[in-house]
Amino acid sequence: MKKFPLLSPFISFVFVAAACSSESYSTAPLEDAGRGDGGTPSVDGSTADGGPAAACNDGVKNGGEADLDCGGTCTAKCAVGKACATGADCATGACGASKTCVGAAVCNDGVKNGTEADVDCGGSCGPCAAGKSCGISADCASGTCANGSCAAAASCNDGVKNNTEADVDCGGACAACTVGRACRTGNDCATANCGPNSTCVAAAACNDSIKNGAESDVDCGGACAACAVGRACRTAGDCATAICGPNNTCVAMANCNDGIKNGTEADVDCGGACAAKCAVGKACGAPGDCASDLCTNGACVAPLCNIDAITWVAPQNKYLVAAKGKAWSIDGAGNLLGAEVDIRAMPGMANGPCAGQAGDCRLDALTLDSKRGYYFAFWGTRVWAFDGNGTPLVNNLYADVAGLAAGPCAAQPAGACRIEGAMYQADQDVINVTVGDKFWGLNAANYQLSGPAAGQSITLAPGGVAVCNGLGAGCVSSDVNWRNDTKETEFYGNGRRWVLDANLQLKPGTGELLTSIAGFAQGPCR
């Protein structure tokens, strides 16, 4: 029946039309007219008898609702106290045991809800006991979820491979597994031998065709027989040749050209029993391992270069250096000037300091009195003086030179006086001579002592202690020198040069090896 607008002009018309109609109408109450007897809705939204379909706002519990207009198929969730079938019906997500919505899920509400794996356990609650439902092992107090149910706590006799076990109830923290059982390492096995297929095998033997136990290769090395050449090794003891090569394989018997440090060699193919000596920078155990015969801190080092004597030749701005029977000229920057000269061939030397010397002509000290042009050469117990052309002027025993006799020689045995270093200091017109850590000054005009007879210690100079530390025991120098141009004092010895500035302070960078100075390396140190 169509519905008409309730407009007052037409009210009388409606009742008249109804009275004149030949059809009969039900007198059922209006609230039942739309629903009839509750028949199912038709495709047009009405029920079978023409009534309207159930809705989630019709004020009636109908359709799939859990309670009035909530839960079930309705979007709205039911409030606490309303009826529910499952937690999904409830706004709190918790449907209580009495099938009414309860407060938010908690771990003691007697209901499996929230993230729980079983009633009040698992998920965000405490772990579940054995037999309870679980989703993951973390849901279970035993730590084991098997087939959706918590297993009993793991033990070494529960008939299950769990925890650290390598096989069922053995290995890991349990008793060792017997032969044939699974294993991860030898520790899992009663035989201490985990075979190549990860099963326990019989105790390791040196004939079981398996690399096991302490063997370095199959059935050799370690506690077994030594391995042949080409087999794997960890140490020389694993090899029949006693040589474990650089790629951890046994190699042939050591020799001095096999490219391996072996046998008694100090470094690869040198030193020890090898004829070849080790070069500078190679390892060594003793001086004899080195071509230089010098082994320092386990490494071969270059031989120290020690000169015999040196003086600064002021008129020519160069050094005159004597060593090994030869003389070289080196400029102030350390560059070699020309070729070497045989000392014996120099004017006055053959019949002077070189007379009586067999082999190389050696000097103890050399200095030039630049004011008078005199060279002084010291050797043995005598001193020779030459003019600028090398013409001999005089030679004397040290004992006959007043200043030497009263100074350095007075403290030495009679007839055995030696001078280690000598230098002419132009600004004071003094010849300084040294023995050990002491020096004495002689007046260059009369050779009388011009200082204390006992001499003065080099260590009294601000940089003197460092010099003596470098020279080593006794502060023995090869020679000393004073440069007119820089007023620097130089000490040579122990293969090095130390320089004190005009104020006798140690010059920065001093103490360098003579071999690091080009002229020395190319000349006297060659």
Side-chain angles (χ1 to χ4, degrees):
M1 181 178 73
K2 294 183 179 179
K3 295 180 180 180
F4 294 91
L6 300 179
L7 300 178
S8 57
F10 296 97
I11 294 174
S12 60
F13 170 78
V14 173
F15 280 102
V16 172
C20 294
S21 174
S22 61
E23 296 179 15
S24 62
Y25 291 92
S26 169
T27 57
L30 289 176
E31 59 267 26
D32 293 332
R35 198 162 42 87
D37 59 357
T40 57
S42 64
V43 294
D44 64 356
S46 64
T47 60
D49 60 359
C56 292
N57 58 0
D58 58 7
V60 181
K61 177 182 180 299
N62 50 24
E65 297 170 351
D67 206 320
L68 183 66
D69 292 342
C70 70
T73 57
C74 292
T75 303
K77 303 297 183 181
C78 298
V80 173
K82 294 287 187 178
C84 58
T86 69
D89 294 326
C90 302
T92 61
C95 183
S98 60
K99 295 299 179 179
T100 57
C101 293
V102 296
V106 293
C107 296
N108 59 358
D109 56 10
V111 182
K112 178 184 178 296
N113 48 27
T115 62
E116 296 169 351
D118 207 316
V119 176
D120 294 343
C121 70
S124 59
C125 296
C128 298
K132 294 288 188 178
S133 296
C134 57
I136 57 175
S137 293
D139 290 331
C140 303
S142 65
T144 302
C145 179
N147 299 319
S149 180
C150 290
S155 69
C156 294
N157 58 4
D158 57 9
V160 181
K161 179 183 178 295
N162 46 28
N163 282 359
T164 62
E165 296 169 354
D167 206 324
V168 176
D169 294 343
C170 72
C174 296
C177 300
T178 57
V179 172
R181 305 291 294 278
C183 58
R184 289 180 294 265
T185 69
N187 292 331
D188 292 326
C189 303
T191 60
N193 196 2
C194 185
N197 60 348
S198 296
T199 57
C200 294
V201 295
C206 295
N207 60 357
D208 57 9
S209 299
I210 301 171
K211 179 184 177 296
N212 48 27
E215 296 168 353
S216 61
D217 207 322
V218 176
D219 294 343
C220 72
C224 297
C227 298
V229 171
R231 304 291 294 277
C233 56
R234 289 183 292 267
T235 68
D238 292 327
C239 303
T241 59
I243 306 170
C244 185
N247 59 347
N248 289 327
T249 57
C250 296
V251 297
M253 194 68 69
N255 60 63
C256 294
N257 59 2
D258 58 9
I260 303 170
K261 179 185 178 297
N262 47 29
T264 62
E265 296 168 354
D267 208 313
V268 176
D269 295 341
C270 69
C274 294
K277 300 300 181 183
C278 299
V280 171
K282 295 288 188 178
C284 57
D289 291 328
C290 304
S292 65
D293 280 327
L294 291 172
C295 179
T296 301
N297 296 326
C300 294
V301 296
L304 295 176
C305 172
N306 283 311
I307 61 173
D308 289 340
I310 187 169
T311 190
W312 178 250
V313 183
Q316 299 174 31
N317 289 317
K318 70 175 185 179
Y319 294 100
L320 182 61
V321 184
K324 298 177 287 191
K326 302 290 191 296
W328 290 264
S329 293
I330 297 175
D331 68 18
N335 300 304
L336 187 65
L337 302 174
E340 64 195 46
V341 177
D342 193 305
I343 292 177
R344 290 182 186 277
M346 297 172 67
M349 298 301 288
N351 295 322
C354 300
Q357 293 193 51
D360 294 338
C361 178
R362 313 299 293 267
L363 299 176
D364 288 327
L366 180 67
T367 192
L368 168 65
D369 177 345
S370 57
K371 181 177 180 179
R372 299 168 182 82
Y374 297 160
Y375 285 91
F376 293 91
F378 297 78
W379 171 251
T381 59
R382 304 185 74 90
V383 56
W384 286 261
F386 304 88
D387 65 15
N389 296 317
T391 303
L393 299 177
V394 67
N395 76 84
N396 292 101
L397 288 168
Y398 296 155
D400 295 333
V401 179
L404 296 179
C409 295
Q412 299 183 56
C417 182
R418 297 295 296 263
I419 300 299
E420 293 172 1
M423 62 181 182
Y424 174 71
Q425 193 168 339
D427 60 350
Q428 297 182 25
D429 197 24
V430 168
I431 298 174
N432 289 310
V433 296
T434 64
V435 178
D437 68 339
K438 299 288 181 62
F439 71 93
W440 290 263
L442 276 67
N443 187 312
N446 56 25
Y447 312 113
Q448 297 289 328
L449 199 61
S450 64
Q456 300 180 68
S457 175
I458 293 170
T459 59
L460 295 176
V465 172
V467 170
C468 283
N469 286 341
L471 289 172
C475 195
V476 177
S477 62
S478 299
D479 201 358
V480 293
N481 181 62
W482 190 82
R483 283 183 58 162
N484 303 49
D485 56 344
T486 62
K487 294 181 171 51
E488 294 174 342
T489 305
E490 301 171 340
F491 295 81
Y492 294 81
N494 205 19
R496 298 176 181 272
R497 174 177 69 179
W498 287 268
V499 181
L500 302 184
D501 63 20
N503 297 314
L504 301 181
Q505 299 281 353
L506 192 68
K507 188 174 179 180
T510 192
E512 71 270 41
L513 287 166
L514 293 183
T515 51
S516 69
I517 303 171
F520 285 87
Q522 297 162 11
C525 298
R526 188 179 67 244

